[in-house]
Amino acid sequence: MNWFCAYLVAVVREKDVCWEYAEKLDGNKVRCKFCQRVLNGGISRLKHHLSRLPSKGVNPCSKVRDDVTDRVRTIIASKEEVKETSSGKKQKLVEVKSPGNVSASKALISFDTPTPIQKVFPNVTPMVPPPLNNQENAERNIALFFFENKLDFSIARSSSYQLMIDAIAKCGPGFIGPSAETLKTTWLERIKSEMSLQSKDIEKEWTTTGCTIIADTWTDNKSRALINFLVSSPSRTFFHKSVDASAYFKNTKCLADLFDSVIQDFGPENVVQIIMDSSFNYTGVANHILQNYATIFVSPCASQCLNLILEEFSKVDWVNRCILQAQTISKFIYNNASMLDLMKKFTGGQELIRTGITKSVSNFLSLQSMLKQRSRLKHMFNSPEYCTNSSYANKTQSISCISIVEDNDFWRAVEESVAISEPFLKVLREVSGGKPSVGFIYELMTRAKESIRTYYIMDENKCKTFLDIVDRKWRDQLHSPLHAAAAFLNPGIQYNPEIKFLTSIKEDFFKVLEKLLPMPEMRRDITSQIFTFTKATGMFGCSLAMEARDVVSPGLWWEQYGDSAPVLQRVAIRILSQVCSSFTFERHWSAFQQIHSEKRNKIDRETLNDLVYINYNLKLARQTRTKTLEADPIQFDDIDMTSEWVEESDNPSPTQWLDRFGSALDGSDLNTRQFNAAIFGSNDHIFGL
């Protein structure tokens, strides 16, 4: 009987319609007529090969037609339905047999005997996911991909995320993604080459606009020192390379040699300025550059200086007390789930606090946010929902929060803190947007100082306290002759009758001209050209030029209307085309640490270096594309759940010591980093290398 059944099965298989797509070979092997692949296992495995379904361990066919795939899938589905129907009938037959029948009773026992898990959890039933439509199924599988690979959810905000999905959708069913080896070799090299070509295209504008080298540093409490070099011009900013300078970070000669090599990479004739922060042996390196490169300026990072001003503001006694009181309220709310839900109910879903690019910025942004929610907070703490909830209404923290919220002196301090910090947050936004802003920093700082004088017109002591902080930081760190020259050449400032500081910056402007035009023959007509510009004669005085003074960027204005003063025009375009800050650029210090790890072999280090080069430049390109949108360059989207505005612990977070270096680490929230380290381990390798 068994041989007869086998014979019948063989006959049925011989007549299977799918044989028209295959060639039968010896030993139960078949060859696909589309891709010529030889398969073991006969017609059944061929069907799964043609269906391009991920099953049976069969590689999907890469050349089969879509109509054949659809036909084979229908055949497979119909056979599975038949199997399900027949198995259902068998189960019913077992259930209706007489209990007196011995074999039947054995069958009943085998079906109803509980498993060991059912004995422990008798009411547990297996979780069967509900049927999903195509959209839901796709989203589910994308979610699984994120969860399995521990990917940051913010990845879904990237532009390349949707581009990838659209590209896969165009390929249709059965698309096979690139292997790990292909990604690591072929595509890594191709995309790196594309990036390099883009940077070469941008280099063409340097002959006109010049460029700024940005030296962005990171140091830790283990004497590690990494320096990232970027190059910026009006079109965009590129990441150049990362250098581990730990062994010679305090050695002026070695640092000078490093900067010499980077300057040569870009060409000394193209470099207008170098921006470096105070982490460097600033004076020694700056002196070396100024002595050896006649036309290059060394400037401080404006954003870092502004952050230091805000940091000093927050240390003033009454401001610090105000911040601590506000943090008492936020910690109470953000450390209780029901309290947080109640707060969002009263604020219409809005957060109470904000996370900025530094600790000081976070402090003043959060005070600003809390001030906006003042009436809603008062309403919440006096509401029946709050007062009748015993889980938090009678706690010591609750009593303290109510006392603070009802304290008018506290709210006056919040109002005052917001008033003195907002002008400087505004300056920080302007210089941190990644656009050429060197022509605006002087005016913006002057206006910010005037706002403090106006606010404290009746309180001379407080006015002096904050202005002394600003003047000290401006004098010691922020002021640069290049800033003054840029302000003088900015038409929006030069022709503004309300501006009072033009005379005081003239001397710096002349010094800059002498540096950029060192030979007498180069500045033969410069005096008459300055006169033409300041008096708005020639093309400077035409209607279009006057209308565009406050509308277009200063560099573009000079390019369009500066022909009446050609030498001054070239100088003005180069000066006004520069950025004055490095703060807008995201850092990836964990990745940079891996690049310079001594444990890595040379090949892995080169691969990771290429990956960081691509990753950093993709993010910089995205910032360039989106900088016109209404995104706040000094604020993150996500709340930092380890900040002092949320974390209750008296011990500082492992990440909080990084605040003193004055830079956001990598653009993602600290909570994600801490969670990832806690759950997955801090040694989890970036990029899987």
Side-chain angles (χ1 to χ4, degrees):
M1 187 67 181
N2 289 339
W3 68 268
F4 183 72
C5 292
Y7 171 77
L8 286 176
V9 170
V11 170
V12 171
R13 286 180 175 171
E14 284 289 333
K15 294 183 178 181
D16 197 301
V17 294
C18 290
W19 278 114
E20 65 180 283
Y21 307 127
E23 176 187 349
K24 186 175 181 182
L25 304 175
D26 295 335
N28 201 29
K29 294 182 179 180
V30 294
R31 177 183 284 115
C32 174
K33 290 185 178 180
F34 294 99
C35 66
Q36 303 304 312
R37 182 188 290 271
V38 176
L39 305 169
N40 291 314
I43 195 67
S44 176
R45 291 174 70 80
L46 175 75
K47 289 177 185 176
H48 287 283
H49 173 66
L50 297 175
S51 72
R52 299 192 288 197
L53 294 170
S55 60
K56 301 283 186 182
V58 182
N59 289 321
C61 183
S62 59
K63 298 183 179 180
V64 63
R65 301 194 310 269
D66 289 342
D67 62 310
V68 174
T69 295
D70 293 339
R71 182 183 183 190
V72 175
R73 288 184 178 183
T74 303
I75 293 171
I76 293 173
S78 63
K79 288 193 174 184
E80 288 177 347
E81 287 178 5
V82 171
K83 286 181 182 178
E84 290 174 0
T85 305
S86 61
S87 63
K89 288 180 179 178
K90 286 180 182 178
Q91 186 172 346
K92 287 182 180 178
L93 285 172
V94 172
E95 291 173 353
V96 298
K97 283 186 179 180
S98 169
N101 186 299
V102 176
S103 60
S105 62
K106 287 181 180 177
L108 282 170
I109 291 170
S110 64
F111 270 100
D112 295 339
T113 302
T115 65
I117 291 179
Q118 288 173 327
K119 289 178 181 178
V120 180
F121 303 107
N123 296 324
V124 173
T125 56
M127 293 293 292
V128 179
L132 304 175
N133 58 37
N134 290 340
Q135 172 75 18
E136 291 172 329
N137 186 52
E139 289 186 6
R140 179 179 181 274
N141 282 287
I142 290 171
L144 287 173
F145 175 73
F146 270 72
F147 303 153
E148 180 183 357
N149 295 285
K150 301 171 290 185
L151 300 180
D152 192 325
F153 301 142
S154 64
I155 290 171
R157 298 186 188 128
S158 68
S159 56
S160 56
Y161 174 71
Q162 188 58 46
L163 289 174
M164 172 187 70
I165 292 173
D166 291 342
I168 293 172
K170 289 180 181 178
C171 294
F175 169 76
I176 302 174
S179 67
E181 188 62 27
T182 303
L183 289 170
K184 189 176 179 180
T185 55
T186 305
W187 282 108
L188 181 65
E189 184 59 35
R190 284 181 64 174
I191 293 179
K192 183 189 175 186
S193 298
E194 290 174 12
M195 292 274 176
S196 298
L197 288 174
Q198 289 176 17
S199 67
K200 294 295 182 186
D201 287 339
I202 299 299
E203 288 178 21
K204 296 174 184 176
E205 74 176 6
W206 293 353
T207 54
T208 303
T209 66
C211 65
T212 292
I213 295 175
I214 297 169
D216 192 20
T217 61
W218 174 77
T219 57
D220 65 10
N221 54 0
K222 296 180 181 179
S223 300
R224 291 290 302 275
L226 306 182
I227 308 174
N228 292 336
F229 289 99
L230 302 94
V231 58
S232 181
S233 54
S235 293
R236 61 172 292 187
T237 298
F238 275 94
F239 169 73
H240 180 52
K241 66 179 179 180
S242 178
V243 176
D244 184 356
S246 304
Y248 53 86
F249 193 64
K250 295 184 179 180
N251 186 315
T252 302
K253 175 65 170 64
C254 293
L255 284 177
D257 291 342
L258 172 62
F259 274 79
D260 283 340
S261 69
V262 174
I263 291 170
Q264 294 303 321
D265 287 342
F266 301 119
E269 70 281 2
N270 293 321
V271 180
V272 175
Q273 70 168 340
I274 297 175
I275 293 178
M276 60 178 74
D277 59 42
S278 57
S279 299
F280 281 108
N281 181 357
Y282 187 90
T283 305
V285 177
N287 287 339
H288 169 82
I289 294 170
L290 295 173
Q291 289 171 9
N292 289 273
Y293 301 95
T295 59
I296 297 178
F297 294 86
V298 178
S299 303
C301 172
S303 292
Q304 187 187 43
C305 295
L306 285 160
N307 181 66
L308 292 174
I309 289 173
L310 292 171
E311 187 178 316
E312 289 296 314
F313 281 8
S314 65
K315 291 178 181 177
V316 175
D317 287 343
W318 66 266
V319 179
N320 185 52
R321 184 167 57 253
C322 170
I323 291 171
L324 292 174
Q325 287 178 308
Q327 288 174 349
T328 300
I329 299 172
S330 64
K331 288 177 184 179
F332 176 60
I333 292 173
Y334 278 89
N335 282 278
N336 186 307
S338 58
M339 193 69 232
L340 184 59
D341 290 339
L342 184 62
M343 181 272 290
K344 290 192 176 182
K345 175 183 175 182
F346 278 85
T347 63
Q350 296 182 42
E351 297 286 357
L352 185 63
I353 59 177
R354 298 283 184 267
T355 297
I357 55 178
T358 65
K359 176 181 173 181
S360 300
V361 173
S362 296
N363 285 342
F364 289 108
L365 287 177
S366 294
L367 287 178
Q368 193 177 94
S369 176
M370 194 169 283
L371 184 62
K372 291 179 181 177
Q373 303 294 345
R374 171 169 51 181
S375 60
R376 295 182 179 93
L377 278 175
K378 287 186 174 183
H379 189 198
M380 179 189 73
F381 280 110
N382 288 306
S383 68
E385 295 101 314
Y386 178 82
C387 296
T388 58
N389 193 321
S390 58
S391 64
Y392 43 70
N394 296 320
K395 287 186 176 181
T396 305
Q397 286 176 297
S398 171
I399 297 170
S400 298
C401 289
I402 293 173
S403 175
I404 294 170
V405 167
E406 296 298 331
D407 185 359
N408 290 330
D409 288 339
F410 164 71
W411 288 113
R412 276 193 291 270
V414 173
E415 289 176 352
E416 201 170 331
S417 299
V418 169
I420 61 170
S421 62
E422 177 52 30
F424 295 93
L425 290 174
K426 183 179 179 180
V427 180
L428 192 57
R429 287 186 180 96
E430 289 295 325
V431 301
S432 298
K435 60 186 178 182
S437 53
V438 70
F440 299 97
I441 183 68
Y442 214 106
E443 180 191 12
L444 290 169
M445 287 299 295
T446 301
R447 292 188 184 279
K449 289 170 63 177
E450 284 300 320
S451 69
I452 289 182
R453 289 192 185 95
T454 302
Y455 187 79
Y456 283 128
I457 195 169
M458 302 298 290
D459 194 331
E460 187 177 343
N461 289 333
K462 280 189 175 180
C463 182
K464 185 178 186 305
T465 297
F466 291 104
L467 284 182
D468 283 350
I469 292 172
V470 176
D471 288 339
R472 186 170 63 252
K473 295 299 179 184
W474 171 268
R475 181 183 63 250
D476 295 344
Q477 291 184 291
L478 186 52
H479 174 70
S480 163
L482 197 67
H483 297 158
F488 190 88
L489 291 166
N490 184 344
I493 295 174
Q494 180 64 229
Y495 302 124
N496 186 342
E498 296 181 4
I499 298 295
K500 307 298 183 186
F501 58 73
L502 277 174
T503 303
S504 64
I505 65 175
K506 250 187 177 182
E507 184 178 352
D508 280 338
F509 168 64
F510 290 143
K511 287 180 180 178
V512 170
L513 281 182
E514 290 175 6
K515 185 177 176 71
L516 293 178
L517 303 171
M519 307 301 292
E521 60 269 20
M522 297 173 69
R523 51 179 186 257
R524 183 176 297 120
D525 299 324
I526 199 67
T527 302
S528 61
Q529 292 184 22
I530 294 172
F531 182 83
T532 302
F533 165 58
T534 56
K535 298 303 180 183
T537 58
M539 288 184 65
F540 294 120
C542 73
S543 298
L544 289 176
M546 289 190 290
E547 292 167 3
R549 287 171 181 171
D550 298 307
V551 178
V552 302
S553 66
L556 181 58
W557 185 88
W558 270 94
E559 184 180 339
Q560 294 297 319
Y561 307 110
D563 294 359
S564 300
V567 177
L568 189 61
Q569 181 188 44
R570 287 195 296 273
V571 171
I573 291 173
R574 287 177 71 85
I575 292 174
L576 293 166
S577 297
Q578 309 312 313
V579 295
C580 59
S581 170
S582 66
F583 249 37
T584 183
F585 310 121
E586 298 182 52
R587 283 79 168 178
H588 311 276
W589 295 117
S590 54
F592 296 128
Q593 279 183 293
Q594 285 209 358
I595 291 174
H596 304 296
S597 170
E598 294 179 359
K599 297 178 181 179
R600 292 200 168 278
N601 62 57
K602 185 177 180 181
I603 295 174
D604 263 2
R605 189 180 289 112
E606 289 177 356
T607 301
L608 185 55
N609 217 335
D610 290 345
L611 281 163
V612 172
Y613 175 82
I614 292 171
N615 179 263
Y616 208 156
N617 281 314
L618 283 173
K619 292 197 173 188
L620 290 170
R622 182 184 65 192
Q623 288 178 344
T624 301
R625 290 194 301 270
T626 60
K627 68 183 179 183
T628 55
L629 302 178
E630 294 182 2
D632 191 339
I634 66 171
Q635 180 179 313
F636 292 141
D637 294 328
D638 303 313
I639 298 296
D640 176 2
M641 300 301 282
T642 67
S643 77
E644 295 176 351
W645 287 84
V646 177
E647 197 173 56
E648 283 190 313
S649 172
D650 292 333
N651 298 319
S653 156
T655 56
Q656 284 179 358
W657 63 272
L658 291 166
D659 275 326
R660 70 173 179 266
F661 301 114
S663 65
L665 293 178
D666 58 9
S668 61
D669 59 291
L670 291 173
N671 186 43
T672 302
R673 288 193 296 278
Q674 190 184 52
F675 173 83
N676 191 67
I679 301 300
F680 303 120
S682 59
N683 294 323
D684 204 42
H685 291 304
I686 296 174
F687 299 121
L689 295 175

